[in-house]
Amino acid sequence: MTTHLEQRPTPTMGSALTIETHGIDVIPEQARRGRPLDMFWPWCAGNITLLQVAWGAYLLEYGISFTQALLVSFIGVVVSFFMVGLISLVGMRGSAPTMVLSRAVYGVRGNFPAGLIGYLLMLGWEIVNVSTAVLASGTIASRLGADPGTAKVIAFVVVAGLVIALGVLGFDAVMRAQKWLSWLTLAMTGIFMALTAHMIHPSVLGSHPSGNGYAVVGATIMVFCAFGAGWFTGAADYSRYLPRSSSRPAIVGWTTAGGSLPVVLLIGYGLLLVGSNPDLMEKMAADPIGTLAALAPLWFMVPFWLFAMAGQVAGATLDLYSSGLCLLAIGLPVKRWQAAAIDGVLMTIGAIYVVWFALDFMGPFTGFLITLGVPEAAWAGIFLADLVMVRWRAGYDQRKLFDPSSQGYGSVKWVPLVLLLACCGLGFGLVTNGYAGWLAWQGYLLGPLGFGGPDGVWAHTSIGVLIALVVSFVAYLPLARRVAGVR
C-alpha cells in the first residue's frame, strides 16, 4: 500500500511556470531549497495593502491618543506575527502544510473540524480581497471619469485570473510573484506618502486626548486579531520547503518582520493622516479606498489603482494557495492544483455575488469571518502548546501524519478536541458582533464573568479571541506530553 510519502514525484526545482506536484505530502530532502530570508516576501506582499492605512481611523475611534495608537499597533501587530513565525518554524521541522502537522495534535481524523474552520476562514478572506479590489476599481474609475461598471468587470477578470493562476501553479510561482508584488507595493507606498505628506500637521496630532486602560487593551486585542491571528492556519505552508539546517531564529525573525513591517508602517501613516485631519475619520471608516484616492493627485490614479490591486492580489493568493492545501488535508481526493482550482471557482462565485448581487452581504459576511477567529485562536493555542512541550525537541513522525491507525497520532485525540470545543464556547461567550443580527447570540458570558455585559466596555474588544487563545495554550501545556505519549 502506497502512502502520501511515496506516491508523489519530485518537482522541477525553482520553476515558477511548472505546476507544483507536491501537495500535503512531506517534502523530500532533494526538493528542499531556499533560505529564511525568503519568508519575508510572501508575508510582506500579503499584508501591504492600502486598507491598512484605514486602521489609523479605526484605532482613533477607540478614543485613544496618537501615541497610544502607535503603541497599540506595534504591540498587536508584532506579537501576532511573532506567533505566525513560531508556526512557520514547524513547517521547516515537519516539512508539511500547517493543517497536516495539526494531525499530530488532534489525530488524523480528529483534525477535520480544525481543518474545515481553517478552510472556511481562508476562502472567506479570498472573497473579501477580490471583492474589495473590484469595488475599489469602480471607485477609482469614477474619479477618472471612466465607466465604473466596465472597470469592475475588467478588474474582476484580471484579479481573479491572477490569483487562480498563481494558486494553481503553486509554490514557486507564489513565492516569486510575492517578491515582485512586495517591491511594487513598497515603491507605491513611498510615492503615496510623499504625495500626501503635506497633509500631516504635528501640532494637531497632540490634540487627541489619552484613552483609559479599557480602550487601550481593547484596541490592542482588535489589532492582534485583525492581522497575524488571521494567518495562523497557513503559516507553515511557505516554510515547509526550507532545508532542515535553516536557522530557527532567522525563520521566526524574517516571517515576523515580513508581516509586521508593512502593517506597522501603513497603520502609522494612517494615524498621521487621520490624526492630522480628524474630518477624514468618518470618511476613512466608510470608504477607505475612495477616501485615499481623493487625497492623491489625478495623475497618480493609475499607479494608485495598481497599488490597491497588488495588495489584494497578494493577500488572496496566499489564502488560495493555503486553502487548496487545507482541502487536501481534510480529505478531498484530488491533486493539489485541482484543489486550488476548485477553491478558485468557489472564490469566483462568492466574489461575483458580493460585487453584483448582494444588497447587504459584506458586513454580515465579515462578521462571520470574525466569528471564526475564535476557533482559530483556540486551535492555535493548543497547537503552540504542543510545539513548546513536544515538537520543539521530538519533531514529527512524518509517516504517522497519514496513518490513522498509528500509535501516537492515531485517529482522534479527544483531550485536545474537547478542549478546543470548550475554549470555543468560552470565546464565543466573550465576543460581540454587530455586523449581523444572526450573530447576536454571542456575548452570553460577558455579564456572568464580570465583563460588563453586551453593552459594557469589553463588549467590542474581541477579548474572547484572546481568552480562547490564552486559555487553550495554558490548559494544554501540562497535558501535551501525556497526550503525545512522550516522557
Side-chain angles (χ1 to χ4, degrees):
M1 178 179 176
T2 59
T3 68
H4 284 274
L5 291 170
E6 300 166 337
Q7 66 188 9
R8 303 279 182 173
T10 300
T12 302
M13 295 180 62
S15 176
L17 296 179
T18 300
I19 292 178
E20 179 189 9
T21 54
H22 282 288
I24 62 172
D25 55 311
V26 173
I27 306 301
E29 289 299 325
Q30 65 269 27
R32 301 172 76 87
R33 69 269 198 183
R35 51 182 179 162
L37 173 60
D38 296 335
M39 295 300 99
F40 179 88
W41 303 111
W43 298 113
C44 177
N47 290 283
I48 186 167
T49 165
L50 276 172
L51 292 178
Q52 319 299 31
V53 177
W55 274 85
Y58 303 154
L59 289 178
L60 291 176
E61 282 184 341
Y62 271 86
I64 58 180
S65 69
F66 172 78
T67 303
Q68 287 175 322
L70 277 179
L71 183 63
V72 159
S73 63
F74 181 82
I75 293 174
V77 170
V78 173
V79 171
S80 65
F81 276 107
F82 176 73
M83 295 178 66
V84 174
L86 289 177
I87 298 174
S88 294
L89 183 61
V90 302
M92 181 272 290
R93 292 292 306 277
S95 312
T98 315
M99 278 299 138
V100 173
L101 298 177
S102 180
R103 293 174 175 178
V105 183
Y106 295 96
V108 176
R109 295 194 176 101
N111 190 58
F112 180 85
L116 180 61
I117 290 167
Y119 173 71
L120 292 174
L121 191 63
M122 286 183 281
L123 173 62
W125 287 117
E126 291 166 37
I127 294 171
V128 170
N129 277 322
V130 173
S131 301
T132 301
V134 174
L135 293 170
S137 296
T139 300
I140 295 170
S142 296
R143 175 100 195 272
L144 292 170
D147 178 30
T150 302
K152 287 193 288 186
V153 171
I154 294 173
F156 175 77
V157 172
V158 172
V159 171
L162 278 174
V163 171
I164 294 172
L166 291 170
V168 168
L169 285 171
F171 182 80
D172 288 308
V174 170
M175 294 297 282
R176 292 193 183 188
Q178 298 296 74
K179 186 171 184 177
W180 285 107
L181 287 170
S182 292
W183 283 116
L184 172 64
T185 48
L186 285 169
M188 290 296 103
T189 298
I191 296 172
F192 177 77
M193 289 181 176
L195 292 173
T196 55
H198 66 279
M199 300 183 65
I200 297 173
H201 309 293
S203 60
V204 181
L205 294 175
S207 64
H208 297 273
S210 297
N212 57 35
Y214 293 112
V216 172
V217 172
T220 305
I221 294 172
M222 182 62 73
V223 171
F224 175 90
C225 297
F227 292 102
W231 295 106
F232 289 162
T233 52
D237 300 351
Y238 304 94
S239 56
R240 73 191 202 281
Y241 274 93
L242 289 175
R244 290 194 178 90
S245 59
S246 301
S247 166
R248 295 181 183 183
I251 292 171
V252 177
W254 284 116
T255 300
T256 304
S260 299
L261 286 178
V263 176
V264 170
L265 175 68
L266 286 167
I267 293 179
Y269 192 71
L271 287 169
L272 289 172
L273 280 178
V274 178
S276 299
N277 304 273
D279 59 302
L280 292 177
M281 188 176 298
E282 186 175 345
K283 297 177 183 178
M284 194 83 78
D287 181 15
I289 298 296
T291 302
L292 292 170
L295 301 181
L298 193 61
W299 66 262
F300 189 64
M301 283 301 96
V302 173
F304 183 92
W305 177 80
L306 291 175
F307 182 13
M309 296 306 99
Q312 303 308 116
V313 167
T317 297
L318 287 185
D319 280 320
L320 188 139
Y321 179 74
S322 288
S323 59
L325 294 174
C326 203
L327 280 176
L328 298 179
I330 63 178
L332 188 67
V334 296
K335 296 180 180 179
R336 185 211 60 80
W337 71 267
Q338 293 171 326
I342 291 170
D343 184 71
V345 170
L346 296 175
M347 175 196 76
T348 299
I349 294 172
I352 289 173
Y353 179 73
V354 170
V355 174
W356 283 286
F357 294 98
L359 297 176
D360 183 23
F361 179 82
M362 186 63 83
F365 190 53
T366 302
F368 170 65
L369 296 177
I370 292 172
T371 296
L372 288 181
V374 170
E376 183 177 37
W379 169 86
I382 295 170
F383 188 84
L384 288 170
D386 177 79
L387 167 64
V388 170
M389 299 302 296
V390 181
R391 310 304 158 190
W392 191 263
R393 293 185 178 181
Y396 293 87
D397 188 326
Q398 294 160 350
R399 292 186 179 272
K400 290 182 179 180
L401 292 170
F402 304 96
D403 183 6
S405 64
S406 65
Q407 184 177 5
Y409 297 173
S411 178
V412 179
K413 290 187 176 180
W414 290 105
V415 171
L417 193 57
V418 170
L419 179 60
L420 174 69
L421 295 174
C423 288
C424 286
L426 177 62
F428 287 140
L430 294 173
V431 296
T432 58
N433 204 320
Y435 286 98
W438 60 276
L439 296 171
W441 57 270
Q442 298 174 113
Y444 47 81
L445 293 176
L446 287 168
L449 294 184
F451 286 91
D455 298 318
V457 292
W458 294 103
H460 302 290
T461 64
S462 296
I463 193 171
V465 176
L466 182 63
I467 289 180
L469 173 69
V470 172
V471 171
S472 61
F473 177 78
V474 173
Y476 197 64
L477 275 177
L479 303 174
R481 294 179 65 83
R482 182 182 302 175
V483 173
V486 299
R487 296 182 179 180

